[in-house]
Amino acid sequence: MGMEKTTIRIAIGSDHGGIDLKSHIISHLSETQPHTQIQDVGTHNPDSVDYPDYAEKVTQAITQKEADLGILVCGTGIGMSIKANRTNGIRAALVFSDFTAEMAKAHNNANILCLGGRTTDPQDAKKFIDIWLNTPFEGDRHARRVEKLG
Ligand code: RB5
């Protein structure tokens, strides 16, 4: 029997400040991670929109079990992370390096990765996403701490 990877459903959303980086990320995931299924919740054009609306679409996809993980992109990633973390069961991590991307999963079991379209280079963003997807949660004492997040 082959070691087949199970499909990971990822909901991705952005505002106008993150739309270009969102496109880069979607192309990257569809080209390099065939076991991922992407749900793009928008925005779909460069018109100015409100980032909390798109954070909510992604958090809802996760809490309603239509997606396993989420990616949120705004200008800095800050507004998206603030909004996403207001939802129970969501652990959204704004990452800016290989190390923070790794720790976001290994220690925090982040189910949403936040990125800044105006602050993060697309090549770096793709690397952070791959690291986050490929890193396992360490569990153990970190599971106890994550449990305490509520
Ligand atoms: C939109 O101009 C900008 O405020 C938004 O993309 C984001 O950076 C908020 O945190």
Side-chain angles (χ1 to χ4, degrees), residues 15-18 48-49 51 73-82 116-118:
D15 69 355
H16 52 289
S48 181
V49 291
Y51 59 83
V73 193
C74 61
T76 57
I78 296 172
M80 287 297 199
S81 62
I82 292 172
R118 296 173 183 155

Side-chain angles (χ1 to χ4, degrees), residues 104-117:
K105 179 65 86 50
H107 286 191
N108 309 115
N109 203 16
N111 50 9
I112 294 185
L113 205 72
C114 298
L115 294 159

Side-chain angles (χ1 to χ4, degrees), residues 12-29 40 43 71-77 94-95 113-129:
I12 181 164
S14 78
D15 69 355
H16 52 289
I19 190 170
D20 290 343
L21 184 56
K22 173 162 72 71
S23 301
H24 282 285
I25 292 168
I26 292 171
S27 307
H28 173 69
L29 288 175
D40 181 359
T43 184
I71 297 173
L72 284 168
V73 193
C74 61
T76 57
L94 172 56
V95 302
L113 205 72
C114 298
L115 294 159
R118 296 173 183 155
T119 57
T120 307
D121 175 82
Q123 288 310 116
D124 288 337
K126 291 175 199 173
K127 193 150 51 87
F128 301 162
I129 288 168

